[in-house]
Amino acid sequence: MQHNVLVGNSAVGRAGLGSFPKPRYDKARGREKRQMVQDEVRAEVEEDRRIKMVAMYQQGAWTRWEHAEQCKVTWSELWRREPQHIKFLIQSVYDVLPSPTNLLCWGLSDTAACQLCNKRGTLEHILSCCPKALSEGRYRWRHDQVLRALADIVSTAIINCKYQHTPKKSITFVRAGEMAQQRQSPPGGLLNTAQDWKLQVDLGRQLKFPEYILSTSLRPDMVITSDASKQVVLVELTVPWEDRME
Ligand SMILES: [Zn+2]
């Protein structure tokens, strides 16, 4: 902490000097001072923990999940969940589930082959990319659970959307030497640009792409159409393995 006082407040990014003032250790007193020391110790322990995790290829896989949302499990969720769910969650994060490769590694099996397709049965293969399991629709349930949640949010957003009719703007030319004026997009995003949105989701019965727009046998997971404003929104959902999120 004393060293930090000597170094001073260093600038971060493009922000100007002193944009992010930090409390100074030599000026802090009492509770604040204790808090600063505690934070420093915590950060150091966390750093050690991270170094250890990064060094462990298998159990530290989560350190490579660049764009994964954090899953914060609260106590109340923890005691409401079934014990085997918690067990599965933790074992899958640290890759210690009895996948064929792990069973071979632990000496409990003679082969690391996937029972369905005979490729190497890693956890990633079993949970996310076995071609046979994919064609049999074994991943479908998980995909549809996510799609259902997504569809709920979109349909609520459609009900709550505040449509404001804005007359079509003509092109505004800018004279040489003058500054262009920023156009303001309608607040609240795309859904506020029309009021006759129709939502179709590929759940339950098969989605059929509206034929008066295009005749096709392809079907996205979600189609949102507005006839009045001539807009079509397609949503294709992929539930990937965390390492491939990006
Ligand atoms: Zn397989």
Side-chain angles (χ1 to χ4, degrees):
M1 299 299 296
Q2 278 162 356
H3 177 250
N4 277 350
V5 172
L6 289 177
V7 172
N9 207 348
S10 51
V12 179
R14 290 177 173 204
L17 289 171
S19 293
F20 303 106
K22 272 193 222 155
R24 282 180 54 146
Y25 179 67
D26 55 340
K27 297 214 170 126
R29 290 279 167 268
R31 195 191 168 89
E32 196 189 355
K33 197 161 191 162
R34 278 203 303 279
Q35 188 64 43
M36 285 173 77
V37 175
Q38 281 176 9
D39 288 347
E40 195 66 22
V41 173
R42 272 207 191 97
E44 217 162 274
V45 173
E46 176 65 25
E47 179 75 15
D48 284 347
R49 195 177 73 98
R50 245 198 129 71
I51 290 168
K52 203 173 168 197
M53 282 319 292
V54 170
M56 293 199 278
Y57 181 79
Q58 199 167 22
Q59 289 89 342
W62 58 268
T63 53
R64 296 188 293 274
W65 299 353
E66 304 234 310
H67 289 263
E69 281 284 315
Q70 278 198 19
C71 173
K72 189 147 186 134
V73 184
T74 61
W75 279 110
S76 61
E77 273 172 8
L78 206 59
W79 62 60
R80 258 184 235 130
R81 275 195 204 180
E82 301 279 329
Q84 68 265 31
H85 286 173
I86 301 163
K87 196 173 166 205
F88 182 84
L89 178 73
I90 294 170
Q91 286 185 314
S92 63
V93 168
Y94 296 103
D95 193 1
V96 285
L97 279 167
S99 58
T101 45
N102 276 349
L103 287 176
L104 179 73
C105 180
W106 300 332
L108 297 173
S109 147
D110 320 322
T111 169
C114 164
Q115 287 188 6
L116 292 173
C117 69
N118 279 323
K119 283 187 188 157
R120 222 172 94 81
T122 57
L123 185 68
E124 178 182 8
H125 178 86
I126 301 290
L127 288 183
S128 174
C129 51
C130 177
K132 184 119 193 293
L134 180 69
S135 64
E136 284 178 356
R138 293 186 189 209
Y139 301 138
R140 176 115 210 141
W141 182 85
R142 179 178 56 191
H143 175 270
D144 286 357
Q145 291 298 105
V146 181
L147 186 60
R148 187 159 289 135
L150 208 60
D152 275 348
I153 293 166
V154 172
S155 72
T156 324
I158 287 175
I159 293 164
N160 294 335
C161 83
K162 291 176 187 68
Y163 170 67
Q164 287 169 335
H165 182 74
T166 42
K168 229 178 183 176
K169 277 183 192 154
S170 51
I171 300 168
T172 45
F173 292 95
V174 181
R175 280 177 198 281
E178 277 180 16
M179 294 286 278
Q181 281 188 334
Q182 284 272 325
R183 273 196 189 193
Q184 287 193 336
S185 52
L190 187 64
L191 287 177
N192 284 353
T193 56
Q195 55 183 351
D196 62 332
W197 291 111
K198 265 182 249 144
L199 172 69
Q200 276 181 285
V201 187
D202 191 26
L203 283 169
R205 68 200 168 94
Q206 270 199 359
L207 184 147
K208 197 150 182 343
F209 199 88
E211 212 143 61
Y212 63 93
I213 296 173
L214 182 72
S215 173
T216 172
S217 59
L218 299 173
R219 50 194 174 92
D221 288 319
M222 214 189 274
V223 181
I224 314 169
T225 49
S226 157
D227 298 344
S229 66
K230 293 186 179 161
Q231 294 185 93
V232 182
V233 184
L234 308 181
V235 178
E236 183 58 40
L237 171 71
T238 306
V239 183
W241 182 247
E242 276 83 351
D243 287 17
R244 291 195 298 266
M245 198 81 87
E246 199 177 0

